[in-house]
Amino acid sequence: HVRVVESGGGLVQAGGSLRLSCTASELEHGVYLVGWFRQAPGKEREGVACLSWGDDIIYYIDSVKGRFTVSRDKSKNTLYLEMNSLMPDDTAMYYCAAAEIFRTVTNICVHVITTDWGRGTQVTVSS
C-alpha cells in the first residue's frame, strides 16, 4: 500500500530555518510526490509549495515566496521543503502529498487535489 512519510519538523525561533523531507513508496503509476501543504489549528489545509514532475513549474503560496524552496531528488524519491526566515504564522502541521501527473501544480496546490497524504510533521515557530 502507498506510504508517504514526512520528517524534519520541530520547534524553532522566529527567523530560524528548517528542512522538511518526504519519501514515498508504492505510489501508483502516474502519481508522484508533488508538494507540501499545511494546516494550522482552526484553519483549512492549504497548499504551500508544489513542484511539477519535470521540476520546471513551481507554485508557492504568496506568504512563503522568497522564504521557502521546494525541491526534489528523483534518485532518492524524496521531496524537500527548505524553510527560511520562519515566522510564527508558519506554525502548522505540514503534510507531503502525491498527485496525478496530468494535473497542473497550480491546480493541485490551490485546490488541494491530491491522491495520497503523509501523516504530517509539526512545525512550531516561537516569537
Side-chain angles (χ1 to χ4, degrees), residues 65-77:
K65 286 179 180 177
R67 300 188 298 121
F68 290 13
T69 303
V70 60
S71 62
R72 189 197 322 279
D73 185 337
K74 289 183 179 179
S75 68
K76 297 180 180 179
N77 195 27

Side-chain angles (χ1 to χ4, degrees), residues 98-112:
E100 294 154 311
I101 200 167
F102 65 85
R103 299 190 185 278
T104 67
V105 292
T106 300
N107 209 26
I108 291 166
C109 245
V110 171
H111 300 292
V112 191

